[in-house]
Each structure stands twice: as C-alpha cells, then as structure tokens.
C-alpha cells in the first residue's frame, strides 16, 4: 500500500483561498482518521474516536445548509450567535487533535532514530496536555505507550522511501498551514469559544 492509497484527499488539496472549504477539509480529515486504523493498536481508538466525533459534529452542522456553511469560517461565524456552538467547539477540538498528530508525525520524520512513542509524547505535552484533565491524561499516556514500532507503522502507511517521505512531509505541512489558519481565526474571534 502506498501513502497515496492511504490518503486519497490530502490537506494540500483543501482550498483555503477564500476560507477553508468545509467539504474538502472534512474529506481530508476522513482519510486522516483512516490512517489510525494502520497504527495496529487498539489504544489509539481513543484518539481516533475523538477526531471522528468532531468531524461528525462539523459535518452535521454543515449538512443543515451546505451553501451557508461552505467554509469553516462561515460555519463558525454563523454559529457564533447560537447559544450552543457544537460545530465550533468541534472545530476547536479537531484542530487540537490534528495539531497533536501532525506535530507527532513531523517530529518522527525529522528524527528518524526516535520511535513513535517519543514523538507522540513530546507532541502531547505541547498540544493536548494543557487542555486535558488529570482523568483524561492517563488514557492518552496509555495510547502513546502502545504506539507501534516506527518501522511497522511507516511500512503500513507506505512511507518507505525518500519520495514517500517527501509526500508525507508535504501532506503534514499543508495540514499545519490549515491548523495555523484555524488558530488565527480563534485568536481573532475569542467569543467563538465562549459560552453565552
């Protein structure tokens, strides 16, 4: 299996010219979720389900009015006046989960001698740990301790040569670019994450 077969819709295919196109972002996120199946560890089901649930919440809001919610920016702007901002909160948590995984995998690519466990633990401390309670932290620690061997994981996702490593790096850089755009939105609009 090649990386292109694992990731059919890349984050580099997501149009962000006039906002992050919701359908394209969700399709890319669906493929991202499928990559977790290749971790070969049931411990990562927690992470996968968290991301999957957030994608579903965003999709549910989008499907109410696909024209009005064509971009994530429009979706959050329209939802800002509602007392319950389910999709906006899902975007926030999805951003955090994607950031965690992107930083983990980028660290792994940049540090080929480190096992995945090291990459995921260092990314967790930076991205998700500050938002998790003392009850949730052990669950994520368990998942990270159950990471597959680096060699096995990269073989499973088809990242085995310089060309596929380059492709994965481009994929992750595109994802990081989207994450930064989302961070900018939340910084410009802190009210999006405040409850009425």
């Amino acid at each position: 299996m090649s990386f292109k077969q694992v990731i059919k819709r890349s984050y580099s295919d997501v149009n962000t010219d006039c906002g992050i196109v919701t359908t394209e972002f969700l399709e890319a996120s669906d493929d991202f979720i499928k990559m977790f199946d290749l971790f070969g560890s049931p411990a990562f089901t927690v992470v996968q389900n968290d991301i999957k649930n957030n994608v579903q919440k965003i999709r549910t809001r989008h499907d109410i009015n696909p024209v009005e919610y064509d971009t994530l920016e429009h979706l959050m702007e329209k939802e800002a006046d509602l007392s319950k901002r389910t999709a906006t909160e899902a975007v926030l948590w999805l951003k955090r989960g994607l950031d965690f995984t992107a930083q983990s995998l980028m660290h792994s690519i940049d540090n080929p001698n480190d096992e995945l466990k090291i990459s995921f633990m260092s990314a967790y401390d930076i991205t998700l740990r500050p938002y998790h309670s003392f009850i949730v932290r052990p669950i994520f620690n368990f998942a990270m301790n159950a990471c597959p061997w680096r060699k096995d994981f990269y073989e499973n996702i088809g990242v085995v040569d310089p060309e596929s490593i380059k492709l994965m790096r481009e994929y992750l850089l595109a994802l990081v670019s989207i994450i930064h755009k989302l961070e900018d939105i939340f910084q410009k609009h802190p009210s999006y994450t405040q409850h009425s």
Side-chain angles (χ1 to χ4, degrees):
M1 179 176 297
S2 72
F3 188 67
K4 283 186 177 183
Q5 290 171 311
V6 174
I7 304 296
K8 294 178 179 80
R9 164 74 81 173
S10 173
Y11 286 104
S12 57
D13 298 332
V14 176
N15 186 338
T16 61
D17 295 341
C18 297
I20 301 164
V21 175
T22 306
T23 54
E24 294 174 4
F25 175 76
L26 293 174
E27 288 169 5
S29 297
D30 287 338
D31 282 352
F32 185 85
I33 292 165
K34 291 175 192 167
M35 187 168 53
F36 278 96
D37 291 334
L38 302 173
F39 268 67
S41 171
F44 266 89
T45 303
V46 174
V47 178
Q48 185 181 25
N49 284 340
D50 184 56
I51 292 173
K52 192 183 295 185
N53 288 336
N54 287 317
V55 165
Q56 186 54 48
K57 289 174 186 175
I58 298 164
R59 183 170 279 124
T60 298
R61 172 65 67 193
H62 171 266
D63 290 349
I64 291 170
N65 190 335
V67 173
E68 190 169 90
Y69 302 135
D70 61 332
T71 66
L72 293 179
E73 291 85 346
H74 289 152
L75 182 146
M76 291 188 286
E77 180 185 332
K78 302 286 184 190
E79 203 177 54
D81 294 331
L82 302 177
S83 60
K84 192 169 184 178
R85 302 178 192 130
T86 305
T88 301
E89 288 177 14
V91 171
L92 177 66
W93 279 102
L94 179 58
K95 176 196 72 72
R96 290 173 179 166
L98 293 173
D99 191 25
F100 160 65
T101 312
Q103 286 196 36
S104 300
L105 295 175
M106 192 61 87
H107 179 273
S108 180
I109 288 174
D110 291 341
N111 299 277
N113 294 324
D114 287 355
E115 282 298 331
L116 291 179
K117 174 183 170 181
I118 305 249
S119 299
F120 277 86
M121 287 187 140
S122 64
Y124 178 76
D125 287 341
I126 297 166
T127 58
L128 291 176
R129 183 181 177 89
Y131 306 105
H132 283 167
S133 69
F134 70 94
I135 295 169
V136 175
R137 288 177 187 161
I139 297 167
F140 273 79
N141 281 329
F142 173 74
M144 289 175 284
N145 281 313
C147 279
W149 293 108
R150 173 192 181 87
K151 179 183 176 294
D152 296 339
F153 172 68
Y154 282 108
E155 284 176 3
N156 285 345
I157 65 168
V159 178
V160 294
D161 56 35
E163 183 59 33
S164 56
I165 291 170
K166 179 180 178 234
L167 187 63
M168 185 173 186
R169 183 181 302 281
E170 290 169 0
Y171 170 82
L172 291 172
L173 289 173
L175 173 55
V176 168
S177 174
I178 291 171
I179 290 166
H180 288 158
K181 288 178 189 299
L182 291 171
E183 287 171 349
D184 288 345
I185 294 165
F186 285 115
Q187 282 185 343
K188 288 178 188 170
H189 304 281
S191 62
Y192 285 3
T193 57
Q194 296 169 353
H195 297 286
S196 301

